[in-house]
Amino acid sequence: MKQSYNRIFGLLSLCLGASFGVAAQNSIPPSVSPYQQVSTYVNPVLPGDHPDPTLLKVGDDFYHCGSSFHFTPYLPIYHSRDLVHWQEISRVVPPSKAGFVSDKPSEGIWQGAITHFYGSYWIYFSAGGQWFSKASSPQGPWSEPVRVQTNPTTGPLGYDNSIFVDDDGKPYMVIKNMQKVNRLQALGRDGQLTDTVINLDWINAKQQYSWAEGPVMCKRNGYYYYFPAGDVSGGQYVLRASALTADSTKWERLGEFFKPITDPQTGFRRPNHIAAPVQLADGTWWTIGQSYERLGTDDWSGMGRQTSLYQVIWEGDRPWGVPPTTAPVLKPDLPKGGIPWRSVRTDYFDGNGLKAGWHFLTKRAEKQVSPAARQGWLRLLPDTAAAHLVQKETDHYYTALTRLALDAARPADKGGLYLTNGNQKVTVKLYSGYDNGKKIIFQLDTATRSLPNRFGKEVWLKLERKEHQLTAYCSGDGKEWTAVGAPISAVALDKTQPNYNSWVGTSVGLFAEGQPADFDFFVCKDGFSWLPAAGCSNYFGVQKQGPDKVVTTTSDKGGWFMISGVDLGSGGRTAAQLELQASAQADGKLEIWLDDLVSGKLVATVPVRATGGDTNRKVFRQALKNVSGQHDVFVRFPAGNAQAIKVQALRFLPAK
């Protein structure tokens, strides 16, 4: 137990100026140098809306799927080599094969249980009954959905079922229907239920686990472990038995799965709906689980149920989930595999189709997109309904950017950047439109800002998010920007909505109404705009300080932070210079790396001169050899002089 807990290190994060990643020195294995290389991670590893996660390990690869609800194409499959970095590789059910699926908010496809048995990959899911699709590879193609047949003995199959494969290779469906039905039944080689039902309805007969939903199973040392979740608000529990039996006296209720939280600053307080834990070659066990993000009145529930990675430790044959923390956690002993941190992805619309990560809010919307109508651009083709193309929002800090062509002539004509919450009741729009003349308009509910459109048909739009504050800009050339009025608060978008946002989180992307609109590109984390250091996704040996959350080191061993998914341009517009906004108590330097601190690329070493005090910030510049593409950007503090340099933000500049 002590050895397992030593994998979790770092002091707790405290608000407005205390540490979010100081390593406890006696916790660090001698072979690991987390202050100068990436040996740790910070949750969530799948930021944004990734509800009801399931996890599959096949050889050295890991696959994730979960509920997609009304987001289509349905059931995105994610791949990882290290359980920390994930990328989307396929979609299981396209709209053309989903005639039986309703795409209204809170409906669609639930569950998405990915599994492997009898030599094939399978996805089981719920949409007015249980269905499955089958493939020889997780990349697809996936077969037409097949309905799972049931009978009076089995009963209704409900939703959020999972698949357990025993040591002998025999698969079982872990069946869940409403609050009081919990059952097991074997699956045959045709994917259909077979053999007799193992009735576990006694598990939640008194509703002691609320809904006892999303049950999953694993096996270790001859014990079968059954993990039911509570409900959407949290709670995770575990039972065990030495045989698959309906006899309740053979099962032991072990109680809560997660250890108590000791970090008062973690916003992910009630993780649940875990995936079946998996064991790695080094003997460690891991699982992923979902939770809404909220700390006091700072509510980010609108982003949806975000997925985090948790180690599972064992006290004898009793499993415990290591609790959520804001501190860095030593990552699994696995290779990264060249996969970036999960983030909204840039698309320059220069290929034959859309890049992975895009989704629609209705099945119909897929036909309102044309990547080929104009070379190098994407065309949205609204009819009586708006056309849209969106991704799952993943960050609290970013700058979304697009260039569009639209000649608005009526109030109905609109095109631009778009955010919407899960039930599509709260939206943000920054668009080129018409309102007693051609205008650039910025809206969230009744809050509206506008400027005359002096740029013409083609215009650049930029939406900057700094936590719950949104600021809009417009430009004719992407160089000189004009603010579209005062910032607007996004609290109404980010907070908990009725019906938990209809189970899904905020989406960000593009939209058009009234007439077709062409888009040259979509960028969500623009590297040519200021990137606040506080928006980092991973870090070690650093802390945030002050109301503006500057980032500095906490140890003489140095440290680092990483901003994920930064777009550094494409084609003729690439990064040629770096600007870094910081204060310094003494002369020093900072290193800028792309993608990793060991296997990545060192692109700049920035000399930082003493500024005469923490509040006296200056901008330091360093030339770059043209770099481009979308990258995870690392800022590394050298060893020595803790807190000597405090970084506010950085940005890249294109060649003039």
Side-chain angles (χ1 to χ4, degrees):
M1 175 179 172
K2 182 177 180 182
Q3 182 179 6
S4 296
Y5 266 119
N6 281 345
R7 294 180 63 85
I8 312 303
F9 54 92
L11 300 180
L12 301 181
S13 186
L14 302 177
C15 64
L16 298 182
S19 170
F20 64 86
V22 185
Q25 294 183 19
N26 60 1
S27 300
I28 305 171
S31 61
V32 176
S33 300
Y35 291 95
Q36 296 297 322
Q37 67 182 38
V38 184
S39 305
T40 57
Y41 70 95
V42 176
N43 277 317
V45 295
L46 279 161
D49 174 62
H50 294 88
D52 306 330
T54 64
L55 176 65
L56 172 67
K57 179 181 183 294
V58 179
D60 296 329
D61 296 284
F62 301 90
Y63 302 98
H64 155 81
C65 192
S67 297
S68 55
F69 295 96
H70 63 289
F71 290 173
T72 182
Y74 303 101
L75 301 176
I77 306 296
Y78 292 88
H79 171 240
S80 177
R81 298 299 301 275
D82 65 354
L83 290 170
V84 173
H85 298 85
W86 295 87
Q87 65 180 358
E88 187 175 319
I89 58 172
S90 69
R91 299 256 178 167
V92 177
V93 184
S96 61
K97 296 181 180 180
F100 59 96
V101 180
S102 170
D103 58 9
K104 296 179 181 179
S106 83
E107 298 185 19
I109 286 182
W110 298 29
Q111 183 181 317
I114 186 167
T115 185
H116 183 266
F117 59 83
Y118 298 144
S120 296
Y121 292 87
W122 309 70
I123 291 280
Y124 283 81
F125 58 91
S126 173
Q130 280 285 311
W131 302 75
F132 68 80
S133 290
K134 183 180 178 182
S136 59
S137 165
Q139 286 83 1
W142 290 87
S143 69
E144 294 274 353
V146 176
R147 192 178 187 110
V148 178
Q149 302 301 315
T150 186
N151 57 62
T153 302
T154 302
L157 296 177
Y159 60 89
D160 286 353
N161 300 345
S162 65
I163 308 299
F164 165 67
V165 182
D166 208 341
D167 292 343
D168 60 2
K170 186 174 183 178
Y172 295 82
M173 180 177 287
V174 187
I175 298 168
K176 177 64 192 174
N177 183 43
M178 303 301 287
Q179 286 184 278
K180 296 185 178 181
V181 173
N182 295 76
R183 301 175 182 177
L184 299 174
Q185 190 168 358
L187 295 167
R189 292 184 175 276
D190 60 356
Q192 297 288 352
L193 296 168
T194 187
D195 295 351
T196 58
V197 175
I198 301 173
N199 191 314
L200 305 177
D201 290 355
W202 51 266
I203 283 179
N204 204 41
K206 298 180 180 179
Q207 299 180 34
Q208 57 266 58
Y209 302 129
S210 185
W211 280 79
E213 66 180 27
V216 297
M217 293 183 64
C218 73
K219 191 176 183 181
R220 177 183 180 271
N221 290 350
Y223 281 106
Y224 294 90
Y225 293 88
Y226 186 98
F227 302 88
D231 52 43
V232 71
S233 66
Q236 187 70 56
Y237 311 95
V238 58
L239 302 86
R240 75 176 181 189
S242 59
L244 289 181
T245 174
D247 185 351
S248 63
T249 66
K250 304 297 185 182
W251 288 83
E252 182 181 2
R253 297 181 188 267
L254 301 179
E256 293 274 357
F257 170 68
F258 282 100
K259 287 278 189 179
I261 292 175
T262 58
D263 181 349
Q265 294 305 309
T266 182
F268 298 100
R269 305 204 64 82
R270 296 271 294 164
N272 77 343
H273 233 291
I274 65 167
V278 297
Q279 185 179 24
L280 307 186
D282 65 359
T284 60
W285 287 72
W286 299 82
T287 187
I288 54 177
Q290 68 176 26
S291 52
Y292 288 102
E293 182 182 6
R294 180 173 184 169
L295 183 62
T297 58
D298 190 18
D299 189 359
W300 289 94
S301 301
M303 287 188 71
R305 285 168 282 174
Q306 304 184 62
T307 290
S308 295
L309 174 65
Y310 301 103
Q311 189 177 0
V312 180
I313 59 174
W314 297 86
E315 294 180 355
D317 288 316
R318 204 285 191 209
W320 287 101
V322 173
T325 177
T326 54
V329 179
L330 191 64
K331 66 183 182 66
D333 186 17
L334 295 167
K336 177 181 173 182
I339 298 173
W341 192 272
R342 169 65 184 157
S343 189
V344 175
R345 307 310 295 174
T346 286
D347 200 334
Y348 283 95
F349 308 129
D350 50 7
N352 295 324
L354 298 172
K355 291 187 177 180
W358 291 111
H359 65 261
F360 305 99
L361 306 174
T362 62
K363 290 184 285 187
R364 171 186 184 181
E366 186 183 46
K367 297 180 179 179
Q368 296 176 298
V369 174
S370 175
R374 178 178 176 183
Q375 186 174 4
W377 294 61
L378 174 89
R379 179 165 295 171
L380 293 183
L381 301 157
D383 45 32
T384 55
H388 62 267
L389 183 67
V390 290
Q391 298 187 44
K392 296 182 178 185
E393 188 184 46
T394 56
D395 293 274
H396 295 177
Y397 296 82
Y398 60 81
T399 298
L401 188 70
T402 192
R403 179 189 180 204
L404 78 151
L406 173 70
D407 189 13
R410 305 168 301 155
D413 299 338
K414 303 175 182 179
L417 295 168
Y418 181 65
L419 283 84
T420 185
N421 70 334
N423 55 26
Q424 297 162 232
K425 300 296 184 182
V426 183
T427 61
V428 177
K429 296 178 180 179
L430 172 59
Y431 62 92
S432 175
Y434 189 94
D435 182 10
N436 293 318
K438 299 180 188 299
K439 300 281 182 66
I440 305 299
I441 301 172
F442 177 33
Q443 287 182 328
L444 192 162
D445 285 344
T446 58
T448 302
R449 319 277 192 260
S450 67
L451 290 174
N453 182 356
R454 56 184 176 82
F455 309 111
K457 178 179 177 180
E458 293 190 359
V459 61
W460 294 61
L461 299 176
K462 181 164 71 172
L463 185 64
E464 177 186 79
R465 180 191 270 279
K466 289 185 177 178
E467 296 191 306
H468 300 297
Q469 179 177 285
L470 300 175
T471 307
Y473 302 87
C474 55
S475 174
D477 59 6
K479 298 177 182 178
E480 300 295 327
W481 293 91
T482 302
V484 186
I488 294 177
S489 170
V491 167
L493 175 76
D494 299 332
K495 68 180 182 179
T496 304
Q497 307 292 330
N499 203 28
Y500 283 93
N501 307 290
S502 296
W503 315 126
V504 297
T506 302
S507 295
V508 57
L510 307 170
F511 84 102
E513 297 178 18
Q515 65 165 285
D518 291 339
F519 296 85
D520 190 12
F521 55 81
F522 172 80
V523 171
C524 188
K525 204 170 289 184
D526 176 39
F528 302 115
S529 301
W530 284 107
L531 300 159
C536 52
S537 298
N538 199 9
Y539 43 79
F540 193 87
V542 298
Q543 68 178 196
K544 297 178 185 177
Q545 291 183 346
D548 48 1
K549 301 181 181 179
V550 296
V551 176
T552 187
T553 51
T554 57
S555 167
D556 284 340
K557 296 182 179 180
W560 54 269
F561 65 89
M562 180 272 286
I563 302 175
S564 67
V566 177
D567 185 83
L568 301 179
S570 176
R573 190 170 186 261
T574 58
Q577 188 178 44
L578 172 74
E579 290 189 334
L580 192 144
Q581 190 177 58
S583 64
Q585 297 176 2
D587 292 353
K589 64 179 181 179
L590 294 171
E591 293 180 352
I592 310 300
W593 289 73
L594 301 184
D595 303 322
D596 192 76
L597 291 174
V598 175
S599 61
K601 181 180 180 181
L602 175 64
V603 295
T605 299
V606 185
V608 178
R609 303 301 180 189
T611 62
D614 290 346
T615 60
N616 187 19
R617 296 185 188 126
K618 295 184 178 180
V619 174
F620 301 92
R621 297 176 176 85
Q622 182 66 37
L624 304 174
K625 293 182 179 179
N626 289 334
V627 292
S628 62
Q630 192 168 13
H631 299 275
D632 296 338
V633 174
F634 289 80
V635 177
R636 182 158 71 181
F637 297 82
N641 297 324
Q643 302 194 51
I645 302 174
K646 299 182 178 181
V647 180
Q648 173 71 27
L650 66 150
R651 70 174 175 180
F652 297 82
L653 298 176
K656 295 182 179 180

